[in-house]
Amino acid sequence: MRTRPLKVALLGCGVVGSEVARIMTTHADDLTARIGAPVELAGVAVRRPSKVREGIDPSLITTDATALVKRGDIDVIVEVIGGIEPARTLITTAFEHGASVVSANKALIARDGAALHAAAVEHGRDLYYEAAVAGAIPLIRPLRESLAGDKVNRVLGIVNGTTNFILDAMDTTGAGYQEALDEATALGYAEADPTADVEGFDAAAKAAILAGIAFHTRVRLDDVYREGMTEVTAADFASAKRMGCTIKLLAICERAADGGSVTARVHPAMIPLSHPLASVREAYNAVFVEAEAAGQLMFYGPGAGGSPTASAVLGDLVAVCRNKLAEATGPGDSAYTQLPVGSMGEVVTRYHISLDVADKPGVLAQVATVFAEHGVSIDTVRQTGKDGEASLVVVTHRAPDAALTGTVEALRNLDTVRGVASIMRVEGE
Protein backbone atom coordinates (compact mmCIF):
# COMPACT_ATOMS: atom_id res chain seq x y z
CA MET A 1 0.00 0.00 0.00
CA ARG A 2 1.25 3.46 -0.85
CA THR A 3 1.96 5.59 2.19
CA ARG A 4 2.16 8.99 0.50
CA PRO A 5 -1.37 10.44 0.64
CA LEU A 6 -3.45 11.46 -2.32
CA LYS A 7 -4.31 15.13 -1.90
CA VAL A 8 -7.91 16.28 -2.25
CA ALA A 9 -9.15 19.88 -2.45
CA LEU A 10 -12.74 20.99 -1.89
CA LEU A 11 -14.34 23.79 -3.88
CA GLY A 12 -17.24 24.77 -1.66
CA CYS A 13 -17.96 23.83 1.93
CA GLY A 14 -21.70 24.18 2.36
CA VAL A 15 -24.09 21.38 3.30
CA VAL A 16 -22.54 18.86 0.89
CA GLY A 17 -18.91 19.98 1.08
CA SER A 18 -18.82 19.98 4.88
CA GLU A 19 -20.29 16.48 4.92
CA VAL A 20 -17.67 15.29 2.42
CA ALA A 21 -14.95 16.69 4.68
CA ARG A 22 -16.49 15.04 7.74
CA ILE A 23 -16.69 11.61 6.09
CA MET A 24 -13.12 11.90 4.81
CA THR A 25 -12.02 12.45 8.41
CA THR A 26 -14.20 9.97 10.27
CA HIS A 27 -13.81 7.18 7.69
CA ALA A 28 -10.15 7.84 6.90
CA ASP A 29 -8.98 4.30 7.71
CA ASP A 30 -11.70 2.66 5.63
CA LEU A 31 -11.06 4.98 2.70
CA THR A 32 -7.35 4.20 2.89
CA ALA A 33 -8.07 0.47 2.79
CA ARG A 34 -10.50 0.78 -0.12
CA ILE A 35 -8.30 3.06 -2.20
CA GLY A 36 -4.89 1.59 -1.41
CA ALA A 37 -3.46 4.89 -0.18
CA PRO A 38 -4.44 7.52 2.38
CA VAL A 39 -6.39 10.58 1.25
CA GLU A 40 -5.63 13.98 2.69
CA LEU A 41 -7.79 17.09 2.64
CA ALA A 42 -5.27 19.63 1.36
CA GLY A 43 -7.38 22.75 0.88
CA VAL A 44 -10.90 24.15 1.03
CA ALA A 45 -12.03 27.11 -1.08
CA VAL A 46 -14.92 29.11 0.36
CA ARG A 47 -16.53 32.55 -0.04
CA ARG A 48 -16.86 33.32 3.70
CA PRO A 49 -13.64 32.36 5.48
CA SER A 50 -14.81 33.73 8.84
CA LYS A 51 -17.53 31.10 9.18
CA VAL A 52 -16.72 28.39 11.73
CA ARG A 53 -16.45 24.98 10.04
CA GLU A 54 -16.39 22.24 12.60
CA GLY A 55 -13.76 19.56 12.10
CA ILE A 56 -11.86 21.44 9.39
CA ASP A 57 -8.41 22.85 10.09
CA PRO A 58 -8.73 26.65 9.61
CA SER A 59 -5.31 26.68 7.93
CA LEU A 60 -6.85 24.78 4.98
CA ILE A 61 -9.41 27.50 4.29
CA THR A 62 -8.84 29.89 1.38
CA THR A 63 -10.90 32.29 -0.69
CA ASP A 64 -8.60 31.91 -3.69
CA ALA A 65 -10.08 28.91 -5.49
CA THR A 66 -8.00 29.58 -8.60
CA ALA A 67 -4.73 29.39 -6.68
CA LEU A 68 -5.91 26.17 -5.02
CA VAL A 69 -6.61 24.37 -8.30
CA LYS A 70 -3.33 25.63 -9.76
CA ARG A 71 -1.16 24.30 -6.94
CA GLY A 72 0.03 21.32 -8.96
CA ASP A 73 0.21 18.91 -6.02
CA ILE A 74 -3.56 18.30 -5.83
CA ASP A 75 -4.67 14.89 -7.09
CA VAL A 76 -8.45 15.34 -7.01
CA ILE A 77 -10.66 18.42 -6.95
CA VAL A 78 -14.16 18.00 -5.50
CA GLU A 79 -16.41 20.72 -6.93
CA VAL A 80 -19.62 21.37 -4.97
CA ILE A 81 -20.10 25.11 -5.52
CA GLY A 82 -22.66 24.73 -8.32
CA GLY A 83 -23.53 27.14 -11.12
CA ILE A 84 -21.76 27.68 -14.42
CA GLU A 85 -19.01 30.11 -13.50
CA PRO A 86 -16.54 30.08 -11.87
CA ALA A 87 -17.05 26.29 -11.66
CA ARG A 88 -16.40 25.67 -15.35
CA THR A 89 -13.14 27.62 -15.41
CA LEU A 90 -11.97 26.07 -12.14
CA ILE A 91 -12.59 22.55 -13.43
CA THR A 92 -10.74 23.08 -16.69
CA THR A 93 -7.89 24.77 -14.79
CA ALA A 94 -7.72 21.77 -12.47
CA PHE A 95 -7.32 19.43 -15.47
CA GLU A 96 -4.53 21.62 -16.83
CA HIS A 97 -2.65 21.44 -13.52
CA GLY A 98 -2.83 17.68 -13.03
CA ALA A 99 -6.01 17.09 -11.00
CA SER A 100 -8.98 14.89 -11.78
CA VAL A 101 -12.42 16.21 -10.84
CA VAL A 102 -15.45 14.94 -8.95
CA SER A 103 -18.46 17.22 -9.36
CA ALA A 104 -22.07 17.44 -8.17
CA ASN A 105 -22.86 20.23 -10.64
CA LYS A 106 -25.83 19.07 -12.74
CA ALA A 107 -26.40 22.44 -14.43
CA LEU A 108 -22.82 22.65 -15.66
CA ILE A 109 -22.60 19.02 -16.79
CA ALA A 110 -25.92 19.29 -18.64
CA ARG A 111 -24.79 22.45 -20.40
CA ASP A 112 -21.08 21.89 -21.03
CA GLY A 113 -20.47 18.21 -20.34
CA ALA A 114 -19.05 17.51 -23.80
CA ALA A 115 -16.46 20.29 -23.55
CA LEU A 116 -15.49 19.30 -20.02
CA HIS A 117 -15.06 15.66 -21.02
CA ALA A 118 -12.92 16.73 -23.95
CA ALA A 119 -10.73 18.79 -21.61
CA ALA A 120 -10.41 15.82 -19.24
CA VAL A 121 -9.33 13.53 -22.09
CA GLU A 122 -6.88 16.11 -23.42
CA HIS A 123 -5.08 16.20 -20.08
CA GLY A 124 -5.53 12.52 -19.17
CA ARG A 125 -7.81 13.18 -16.20
CA ASP A 126 -11.08 11.82 -14.84
CA LEU A 127 -14.40 13.66 -14.66
CA TYR A 128 -16.95 11.90 -12.44
CA TYR A 129 -20.37 13.27 -11.41
CA GLU A 130 -22.57 10.57 -9.87
CA ALA A 131 -23.85 13.14 -7.35
CA ALA A 132 -25.21 15.37 -10.13
CA VAL A 133 -28.24 13.11 -10.64
CA ALA A 134 -30.48 11.64 -7.92
CA GLY A 135 -28.20 12.15 -4.92
CA ALA A 136 -27.12 8.91 -3.28
CA ILE A 137 -28.85 6.66 -5.81
CA PRO A 138 -26.23 4.80 -7.91
CA LEU A 139 -27.45 5.59 -11.39
CA ILE A 140 -24.77 7.08 -13.65
CA ARG A 141 -22.27 4.30 -12.97
CA PRO A 142 -24.80 1.48 -13.65
CA LEU A 143 -25.82 3.17 -16.90
CA ARG A 144 -22.24 3.88 -17.95
CA GLU A 145 -20.65 0.62 -16.79
CA SER A 146 -23.07 -2.13 -15.67
CA LEU A 147 -25.32 -1.66 -18.72
CA ALA A 148 -22.48 -0.85 -21.12
CA GLY A 149 -23.12 -4.10 -23.03
CA ASP A 150 -26.88 -3.59 -23.23
CA LYS A 151 -29.16 -1.27 -25.20
CA VAL A 152 -31.17 1.13 -23.05
CA ASN A 153 -34.44 2.18 -24.67
CA ARG A 154 -36.10 4.28 -21.96
CA VAL A 155 -35.32 6.05 -18.71
CA LEU A 156 -38.35 7.23 -16.74
CA GLY A 157 -37.91 8.82 -13.34
CA ILE A 158 -38.71 11.08 -10.44
CA VAL A 159 -35.47 13.03 -10.05
CA ASN A 160 -36.49 15.98 -7.89
CA GLY A 161 -37.41 15.44 -4.24
CA THR A 162 -39.03 18.84 -3.73
CA THR A 163 -41.60 18.40 -6.47
CA ASN A 164 -42.32 14.82 -5.43
CA PHE A 165 -42.95 15.95 -1.85
CA ILE A 166 -45.37 18.65 -3.04
CA LEU A 167 -47.28 16.37 -5.41
CA ASP A 168 -47.40 13.57 -2.83
CA ALA A 169 -48.84 15.98 -0.25
CA MET A 170 -51.47 17.16 -2.73
CA ASP A 171 -52.38 13.55 -3.48
CA THR A 172 -52.51 12.17 0.05
CA THR A 173 -53.88 15.16 2.00
CA GLY A 174 -55.89 17.02 -0.62
CA ALA A 175 -53.78 20.15 -0.13
CA GLY A 176 -53.58 22.78 -2.84
CA TYR A 177 -50.31 23.55 -4.60
CA GLN A 178 -49.44 26.62 -2.50
CA GLU A 179 -50.27 24.88 0.77
CA ALA A 180 -48.10 21.89 -0.15
CA LEU A 181 -45.26 24.20 -1.25
CA ASP A 182 -45.44 26.09 2.05
CA GLU A 183 -45.12 22.79 3.92
CA ALA A 184 -42.15 21.75 1.80
CA THR A 185 -40.49 25.09 2.50
CA ALA A 186 -41.10 24.84 6.24
CA LEU A 187 -39.55 21.35 6.30
CA GLY A 188 -36.49 22.48 4.34
CA TYR A 189 -37.30 20.53 1.16
CA ALA A 190 -37.95 23.66 -0.92
CA GLU A 191 -35.64 26.65 -1.33
CA ALA A 192 -36.80 30.20 -0.59
CA ASP A 193 -37.00 30.55 -4.38
CA PRO A 194 -38.30 27.16 -5.57
CA THR A 195 -38.36 28.05 -9.28
CA ALA A 196 -35.59 25.67 -10.34
CA ASP A 197 -37.49 22.77 -8.81
CA VAL A 198 -41.16 23.50 -9.47
CA GLU A 199 -40.63 24.76 -13.01
CA GLY A 200 -38.63 21.65 -13.90
CA PHE A 201 -35.21 23.23 -14.57
CA ASP A 202 -33.46 20.97 -12.06
CA ALA A 203 -35.09 17.83 -13.46
CA ALA A 204 -34.36 18.93 -17.04
CA ALA A 205 -30.63 19.19 -16.33
CA LYS A 206 -30.69 15.67 -14.89
CA ALA A 207 -32.68 14.39 -17.86
CA ALA A 208 -30.05 15.77 -20.26
CA ILE A 209 -27.29 13.96 -18.38
CA LEU A 210 -29.22 10.67 -18.19
CA ALA A 211 -30.19 10.75 -21.86
CA GLY A 212 -26.63 11.40 -22.98
CA ILE A 213 -25.28 8.48 -20.96
CA ALA A 214 -28.13 6.06 -21.68
CA PHE A 215 -28.16 6.61 -25.44
CA HIS A 216 -24.47 7.42 -26.05
CA THR A 217 -25.28 10.68 -27.78
CA ARG A 218 -25.01 14.42 -27.18
CA VAL A 219 -28.00 15.77 -25.26
CA ARG A 220 -27.79 19.31 -23.91
CA LEU A 221 -30.07 21.10 -21.50
CA ASP A 222 -31.57 23.10 -24.37
CA ASP A 223 -32.63 19.83 -26.03
CA VAL A 224 -34.92 18.90 -23.12
CA TYR A 225 -38.60 19.80 -23.34
CA ARG A 226 -39.72 21.21 -20.00
CA GLU A 227 -43.00 21.97 -18.23
CA GLY A 228 -43.32 22.87 -14.56
CA MET A 229 -45.94 21.57 -12.15
CA THR A 230 -47.29 24.84 -10.70
CA GLU A 231 -50.57 24.50 -12.62
CA VAL A 232 -51.42 21.06 -11.21
CA THR A 233 -54.64 21.29 -9.19
CA ALA A 234 -56.72 19.25 -6.77
CA ALA A 235 -59.14 18.69 -9.65
CA ASP A 236 -56.34 17.06 -11.65
CA PHE A 237 -55.68 14.66 -8.77
CA ALA A 238 -59.40 13.87 -8.53
CA SER A 239 -59.43 13.02 -12.25
CA ALA A 240 -56.28 10.94 -11.85
CA LYS A 241 -57.85 8.95 -9.01
CA ARG A 242 -60.91 8.21 -11.10
CA MET A 243 -58.53 6.69 -13.68
CA GLY A 244 -56.62 4.69 -11.06
CA CYS A 245 -53.63 7.04 -11.40
CA THR A 246 -51.59 9.58 -9.50
CA ILE A 247 -49.53 12.55 -10.74
CA LYS A 248 -45.73 12.84 -10.73
CA LEU A 249 -43.24 15.25 -12.29
CA LEU A 250 -41.34 12.90 -14.57
CA ALA A 251 -38.08 13.04 -16.46
CA ILE A 252 -38.49 10.84 -19.54
CA CYS A 253 -35.69 9.92 -21.93
CA GLU A 254 -36.61 7.68 -24.84
CA ARG A 255 -35.13 6.11 -27.92
CA ALA A 256 -37.47 6.35 -30.93
CA ALA A 257 -39.14 3.13 -32.02
CA ASP A 258 -37.02 3.05 -35.18
CA GLY A 259 -33.85 3.77 -33.18
CA GLY A 260 -33.05 6.80 -35.31
CA SER A 261 -33.42 9.53 -32.70
CA VAL A 262 -33.89 10.20 -28.99
CA THR A 263 -36.02 12.58 -26.96
CA ALA A 264 -35.76 13.99 -23.44
CA ARG A 265 -38.57 15.74 -21.60
CA VAL A 266 -39.76 16.83 -18.17
CA HIS A 267 -43.42 17.44 -17.33
CA PRO A 268 -46.16 16.41 -14.90
CA ALA A 269 -47.96 13.23 -15.92
CA MET A 270 -50.56 10.81 -14.72
CA ILE A 271 -49.20 7.32 -14.06
CA PRO A 272 -51.15 4.19 -13.06
CA LEU A 273 -51.10 3.28 -9.38
CA SER A 274 -49.80 -0.13 -10.47
CA HIS A 275 -46.57 1.43 -11.79
CA PRO A 276 -43.60 1.24 -9.37
CA LEU A 277 -43.03 5.01 -9.58
CA ALA A 278 -46.54 5.71 -8.29
CA SER A 279 -45.59 4.50 -4.81
CA VAL A 280 -42.54 6.79 -4.47
CA ARG A 281 -43.49 9.04 -1.55
CA GLU A 282 -42.41 12.31 0.00
CA ALA A 283 -38.98 13.65 -1.07
CA TYR A 284 -37.65 10.36 -2.44
CA ASN A 285 -36.40 9.83 -6.00
CA ALA A 286 -36.70 6.79 -8.23
CA VAL A 287 -35.62 6.01 -11.77
CA PHE A 288 -37.05 3.24 -13.95
CA VAL A 289 -34.73 1.94 -16.68
CA GLU A 290 -35.84 -0.26 -19.57
CA ALA A 291 -33.09 -2.15 -21.42
CA GLU A 292 -33.28 -4.83 -24.10
CA ALA A 293 -31.43 -7.62 -22.29
CA ALA A 294 -31.71 -6.57 -18.63
CA GLY A 295 -35.39 -5.74 -18.88
CA GLN A 296 -36.88 -3.35 -16.34
CA LEU A 297 -34.72 -2.01 -13.52
CA MET A 298 -35.62 0.46 -10.77
CA PHE A 299 -33.27 2.60 -8.68
CA TYR A 300 -34.76 4.17 -5.54
CA GLY A 301 -33.56 6.30 -2.65
CA PRO A 302 -33.03 9.79 -1.23
CA GLY A 303 -32.25 12.18 -4.05
CA ALA A 304 -30.91 15.18 -2.17
CA GLY A 305 -29.47 16.38 1.12
CA GLY A 306 -25.98 16.67 2.55
CA SER A 307 -25.36 13.07 3.55
CA PRO A 308 -26.89 11.31 0.50
CA THR A 309 -25.12 13.63 -1.96
CA ALA A 310 -21.84 13.33 -0.05
CA SER A 311 -22.15 9.55 -0.27
CA ALA A 312 -22.23 9.79 -4.07
CA VAL A 313 -19.31 12.22 -4.07
CA LEU A 314 -17.22 9.89 -1.89
CA GLY A 315 -18.02 6.94 -4.14
CA ASP A 316 -16.66 8.89 -7.09
CA LEU A 317 -13.67 10.04 -5.04
CA VAL A 318 -12.71 6.45 -4.25
CA ALA A 319 -13.01 5.45 -7.93
CA VAL A 320 -10.97 8.42 -9.15
CA CYS A 321 -8.26 7.85 -6.52
CA ARG A 322 -7.99 4.20 -7.52
CA ASN A 323 -7.59 5.26 -11.13
CA LYS A 324 -4.91 7.72 -10.08
CA LEU A 325 -2.91 4.98 -8.35
CA ALA A 326 -3.28 2.73 -11.40
CA GLU A 327 -2.17 5.59 -13.66
CA ALA A 328 -5.37 5.13 -15.63
CA THR A 329 -8.65 6.89 -16.23
CA GLY A 330 -12.16 5.54 -15.99
CA PRO A 331 -14.99 5.57 -18.55
CA GLY A 332 -15.43 9.00 -20.07
CA ASP A 333 -17.90 10.56 -22.44
CA SER A 334 -19.53 8.08 -24.82
CA ALA A 335 -21.33 9.82 -27.67
CA TYR A 336 -20.42 7.56 -30.57
CA THR A 337 -24.01 7.20 -31.84
CA GLN A 338 -24.47 10.93 -32.52
CA LEU A 339 -28.23 10.40 -32.73
CA PRO A 340 -30.37 13.47 -33.44
CA VAL A 341 -32.50 14.74 -30.55
CA GLY A 342 -36.13 14.88 -31.61
CA SER A 343 -38.67 17.55 -30.71
CA MET A 344 -41.56 17.14 -28.30
CA GLY A 345 -43.95 17.08 -31.24
CA GLU A 346 -42.48 13.73 -32.33
CA VAL A 347 -43.12 12.06 -28.97
CA VAL A 348 -45.94 9.51 -28.99
CA THR A 349 -48.01 9.79 -25.82
CA ARG A 350 -51.52 9.84 -24.37
CA TYR A 351 -53.49 12.87 -23.17
CA HIS A 352 -56.05 13.50 -20.45
CA ILE A 353 -58.01 16.60 -21.49
CA SER A 354 -60.68 18.27 -19.37
CA LEU A 355 -63.00 20.67 -21.21
CA ASP A 356 -65.68 23.08 -20.00
CA VAL A 357 -68.45 22.86 -22.58
CA ALA A 358 -72.04 23.91 -23.20
CA ASP A 359 -74.52 21.32 -21.94
CA LYS A 360 -76.54 20.76 -25.09
CA PRO A 361 -77.01 18.10 -27.76
CA GLY A 362 -74.27 17.64 -30.34
CA VAL A 363 -71.34 18.88 -28.25
CA LEU A 364 -69.77 15.45 -27.87
CA ALA A 365 -70.12 14.82 -31.61
CA GLN A 366 -68.35 18.12 -32.40
CA VAL A 367 -65.51 17.31 -30.02
CA ALA A 368 -65.14 13.77 -31.38
CA THR A 369 -65.01 15.15 -34.93
CA VAL A 370 -62.08 17.44 -34.01
CA PHE A 371 -60.14 14.48 -32.60
CA ALA A 372 -60.87 12.43 -35.72
CA GLU A 373 -59.79 15.25 -38.05
CA HIS A 374 -56.40 15.36 -36.32
CA GLY A 375 -55.93 11.58 -36.39
CA VAL A 376 -56.23 11.15 -32.63
CA SER A 377 -58.17 8.15 -31.35
CA ILE A 378 -60.29 8.53 -28.21
CA ASP A 379 -60.01 5.90 -25.48
CA THR A 380 -62.64 7.07 -22.99
CA VAL A 381 -65.03 10.01 -22.52
CA ARG A 382 -66.79 11.14 -19.35
CA GLN A 383 -69.40 13.93 -19.37
CA THR A 384 -71.19 15.57 -16.45
CA GLY A 385 -73.25 18.75 -16.39
CA LYS A 386 -76.27 20.77 -15.38
CA ASP A 387 -77.79 24.25 -15.81
CA GLY A 388 -76.40 24.64 -19.30
CA GLU A 389 -72.76 23.97 -18.38
CA ALA A 390 -70.88 20.67 -18.53
CA SER A 391 -67.48 19.09 -18.02
CA LEU A 392 -66.12 16.75 -20.65
CA VAL A 393 -63.08 14.60 -19.89
CA VAL A 394 -61.39 12.85 -22.80
CA VAL A 395 -58.56 10.32 -22.52
CA THR A 396 -56.83 9.54 -25.81
CA HIS A 397 -54.95 6.60 -27.20
CA ARG A 398 -51.27 7.14 -28.01
CA ALA A 399 -50.57 9.66 -30.75
CA PRO A 400 -47.82 12.09 -31.75
CA ASP A 401 -47.71 15.03 -29.37
CA ALA A 402 -47.93 17.47 -32.29
CA ALA A 403 -51.28 15.94 -33.31
CA LEU A 404 -52.58 16.22 -29.76
CA THR A 405 -51.44 19.82 -29.48
CA GLY A 406 -53.18 20.64 -32.74
CA THR A 407 -56.33 18.95 -31.47
CA VAL A 408 -56.38 21.09 -28.34
CA GLU A 409 -55.94 24.29 -30.34
CA ALA A 410 -58.85 23.30 -32.62
CA LEU A 411 -61.03 22.51 -29.60
CA ARG A 412 -60.42 26.00 -28.23
CA ASN A 413 -61.98 27.41 -31.43
CA LEU A 414 -65.29 25.56 -31.02
CA ASP A 415 -68.18 27.78 -29.97
CA THR A 416 -69.44 25.05 -27.65
CA VAL A 417 -66.14 24.78 -25.76
CA ARG A 418 -66.02 27.37 -22.96
CA GLY A 419 -62.42 26.56 -22.05
CA VAL A 420 -59.76 23.90 -21.56
CA ALA A 421 -59.66 23.27 -17.81
CA SER A 422 -56.58 21.06 -17.85
CA ILE A 423 -54.31 19.04 -20.12
CA MET A 424 -52.05 16.32 -18.84
CA ARG A 425 -50.08 13.51 -20.42
CA VAL A 426 -50.57 9.91 -19.32
CA GLU A 427 -47.39 7.83 -18.97
CA GLY A 428 -46.15 4.55 -17.57
CA GLU A 429 -48.30 2.15 -19.55
Side-chain angles (χ1 to χ4, degrees):
M1 179 180 292
R2 186 174 112 166
T3 57
R4 182 169 64 83
L6 292 161
K7 294 188 177 183
V8 178
L10 271 176
L11 304 182
C13 197
V15 174
V16 176
S18 59
E19 187 66 8
V20 169
R22 185 193 68 79
I23 294 173
M24 285 182 62
T25 301
T26 58
H27 294 179
D29 291 343
D30 287 336
L31 291 173
T32 298
R34 294 167 190 172
I35 292 169
V39 287
E40 172 191 320
L41 186 59
V44 182
V46 299
R47 285 186 298 176
R48 296 184 294 275
S50 59
K51 181 180 177 181
V52 176
R53 293 172 171 83
E54 217 173 301
I56 297 179
D57 184 347
S59 68
L60 298 178
I61 302 295
T62 179
T63 57
D64 193 343
T66 300
L68 182 59
V69 299
K70 284 183 174 181
R71 271 178 39 175
D73 65 332
I74 302 297
D75 294 292
V76 185
I77 295 291
V78 175
E79 183 271 308
V80 287
I81 56 177
I84 306 302
E85 288 291 358
R88 174 173 52 195
T89 298
L90 291 171
I91 288 174
T92 55
T93 302
F95 292 147
E96 292 166 3
H97 288 79
S100 289
V101 174
V102 172
S103 176
N105 195 331
K106 53 188 170 288
L108 179 59
I109 301 300
R111 175 173 161 173
D112 292 318
L116 292 175
H117 272 293
V121 170
E122 179 185 354
H123 297 285
R125 310 300 169 201
D126 273 322
L127 174 63
Y128 277 46
Y129 42 87
E130 184 70 63
V133 179
I137 304 172
L139 187 57
I140 290 178
R141 192 170 286 114
L143 284 173
R144 192 162 60 178
E145 299 179 27
S146 302
L147 295 174
D150 207 339
K151 182 181 180 183
V152 175
N153 290 318
R154 196 170 194 236
V155 180
L156 172 78
I158 298 165
V159 295
N160 183 277
T162 300
T163 55
N164 199 57
F165 181 90
I166 293 169
L167 292 173
D168 183 53
M170 292 175 70
D171 186 24
T172 56
T173 69
Y177 166 75
Q178 189 60 51
E179 184 183 352
L181 173 59
D182 291 344
E183 182 183 4
T185 304
L187 292 172
Y189 291 127
E191 301 286 346
D193 179 1
T195 302
D197 294 323
V198 300
E199 294 295 351
F201 291 101
D202 175 87
K206 296 170 181 176
I209 295 170
L210 290 175
I213 295 170
F215 307 133
H216 305 280
T217 200
R218 301 263 187 246
V219 181
R220 290 168 50 89
L221 181 56
D222 292 344
D223 296 323
V224 181
Y225 174 85
R226 176 193 56 79
E227 286 180 22
M229 40 77 71
T230 57
E231 301 300 319
V232 177
T233 66
D236 292 324
F237 275 101
S239 292
K241 287 181 179 180
R242 282 192 288 269
M243 289 179 59
C245 293
T246 188
I247 299 171
K248 300 292 186 182
L249 184 75
L250 298 179
I252 305 170
C253 312
E254 292 178 307
R255 191 189 300 269
D258 63 3
S261 65
V262 299
T263 55
R265 51 195 165 106
V266 168
H267 54 72
M270 295 181 180
I271 58 172
L273 294 174
S274 58
H275 194 282
L277 291 178
S279 61
V280 178
R281 301 287 309 280
E282 298 184 337
Y284 277 77
N285 284 192
V287 177
F288 202 70
V289 177
E290 298 175 9
E292 282 197 357
Q296 297 178 332
L297 308 170
M298 183 162 159
F299 302 83
Y300 169 86
S307 294
T309 306
S311 172
V313 169
L314 266 295
D316 278 351
L317 179 62
V318 169
V320 170
C321 285
R322 286 172 174 169
N323 292 343
K324 196 84 174 181
L325 290 179
E327 298 182 349
T329 55
D333 191 25
S334 175
Y336 69 90
T337 61
Q338 298 183 350
L339 294 173
V341 181
S343 68
M344 185 63 194
E346 299 171 32
V347 170
V348 177
T349 186
R350 300 177 65 201
Y351 263 35
H352 175 284
I353 305 170
S354 180
L355 304 171
D356 295 325
V357 299
D359 187 15
K360 62 182 184 181
V363 172
L364 181 56
Q366 285 185 330
V367 169
T369 298
V370 170
F371 278 90
E373 289 174 347
H374 287 80
V376 178
S377 175
I378 294 175
D379 183 13
T380 62
V381 178
R382 184 179 72 253
Q383 183 173 2
T384 58
K386 62 179 180 179
D387 301 326
E389 298 295 329
S391 174
L392 188 65
V393 177
V394 179
V395 180
T396 72
H397 286 293
R398 288 168 61 83
D401 197 84
L404 289 160
T405 302
T407 301
V408 172
E409 290 306 310
L411 289 171
R412 295 182 195 274
N413 293 326
L414 290 178
D415 292 339
T416 51
V417 174
R418 309 291 193 229
V420 180
S422 69
I423 307 168
M424 191 166 296
R425 295 173 182 85
V426 182
E427 300 287 347
E429 296 179 299

